[in-house]
Every structure is written in structure tokens, then in C-alpha cells.
């Protein structure tokens, strides 16, 4: 029985390899291969000497692709293999281009729960379990 299972697994692996080599299955790029955002601007506004300085800075350090977004929704800016800091910079660029400012979340002040607040949490959990809103 064990040999039969191993033979089936091996045959399945060979079939996947055969399909991959024949081009039926496409290799997907990894999640960090390209990082893209859609901006509500024309591609012409994002290229050339008038492009935003943040985009120029990213283009010096990464492969940057600017092309029309699907469905005519503006432009797509994509970075190849960006770091976390570069992703934040690209998101900030999108916000600045669309709204004129970059929104920042400041640290939330710490506080202490009051006795009523401590009591409210278990009660709220019970109400959520029952489906009462």
C-alpha cells in the first residue's frame, strides 16, 4: 500500500513538471517581486523632468515601471524588489499626488481602563457571540 501511494505521488510530481515545462503552468513571481500602486494621474505627468522628486529618487535606486492602469483608472507605478521603506515612500507619494498631503498616524496615548471599561469588554464579547448588536 505504501509503495502504491509513493508511486502516485511521484507520478503527480512528474505530471506537474511536464506541464510546467510545456508552458501550461506559468511561474508566478514572488510577492516581493513587484510592488505597484495606482495613481489617478496620466502617465505623462509621472515621467520626464516634471516628475515628482520622490519618484525620481526611487527611479535612481530601483527599476521603476510607469504605465496606464487597467480600466483607464490613471497610472500604475511599480517598483521591482522594494524594501519596506521604499514601499512606504511609494504609498506616501500616492497620497501626496492624489490629496496634496501625506497622512501620518501619530502614536496613540496610553491610558488606563476604568472599572466600567474593564467590565464592558466581557459583556461586549458575550453580545457578539449571541449576534446582538
Amino acid at each position: 500500500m505504501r509503495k502504491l501511494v509513493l508511486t502516485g505521488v511521484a507520478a503527480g510530481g512528474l505530471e506537474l513538471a511536464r506541464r510546467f515545462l510545456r508552458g501550461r503552468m506559468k511561474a508566478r513571481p514572488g510577492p516581493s517581486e513587484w510592488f505597484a500602486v495606482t495613481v489617478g494621474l496620466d502617465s505623462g505627468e509621472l515621467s520626464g523632468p516634471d516628475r515628482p522628486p520622490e519618484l525620481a529618487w526611487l527611479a535612481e535606486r530601483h527599476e521603476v515601471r510607469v504605465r496606464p492602469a487597467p480600466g483607464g483608472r490613471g497610472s500604475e507605478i511599480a517598483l521591482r524588489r522594494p524594501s519596506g521603506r521604499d514601499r512606504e515612500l511609494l504609498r506616501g507619494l500616492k497620497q501626496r499626488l492624489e490629496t496634496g498631503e501625506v497622512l501620518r498616524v501619530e502614536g496613540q496615548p496610553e491610558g488606563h481602563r476604568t472599572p466600567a471599561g474593564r467590565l464592558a469588554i466581557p459583556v461586549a464579547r458575550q453580545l457578539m457571540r449571541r449576534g446582538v448588536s
Side-chain angles (χ1 to χ4, degrees):
M1 181 68 176
R2 186 175 179 188
K3 287 183 180 181
L4 183 63
V5 171
L6 290 175
T7 304
V9 169
L14 288 174
E15 177 64 21
L16 285 175
R18 184 181 65 81
R19 286 185 185 179
F20 180 76
L21 292 174
R22 291 180 73 193
R24 290 185 183 166
M25 292 176 58
K26 304 286 185 200
R28 294 184 187 170
S32 64
E33 187 73 24
W34 284 94
F35 178 74
V37 295
T38 302
V39 181
L41 296 173
D42 185 35
S43 299
E45 298 177 50
L46 299 172
S47 59
D50 296 334
R51 68 181 169 185
E54 295 95 338
L55 187 58
W57 186 85
L58 286 169
E60 291 174 3
R61 289 158 181 75
H62 296 283
E63 183 180 344
V64 176
R65 181 176 64 196
V66 178
R67 63 183 184 183
R73 294 179 288 138
S75 300
E76 180 182 86
I77 305 171
L79 293 178
R80 185 177 179 100
R81 298 184 187 193
S83 66
R85 180 174 177 257
D86 297 329
R87 288 176 187 224
E88 284 183 33
L89 187 64
L90 187 58
R91 287 187 194 111
L93 173 64
K94 172 186 171 68
Q95 289 178 12
R96 191 173 67 76
L97 291 173
E98 291 182 343
T99 65
E101 62 182 326
V102 179
L103 303 175
R104 300 275 183 217
V105 177
E106 297 294 326
Q108 300 296 318
E110 291 188 33
H112 301 284
R113 292 192 192 271
T114 62
R118 288 189 196 117
L119 178 65
I121 291 174
V123 171
R125 285 186 187 147
Q126 287 294 326
L127 290 176
M128 285 190 290
R129 285 187 191 138
R130 293 181 190 160
V132 177
S133 45

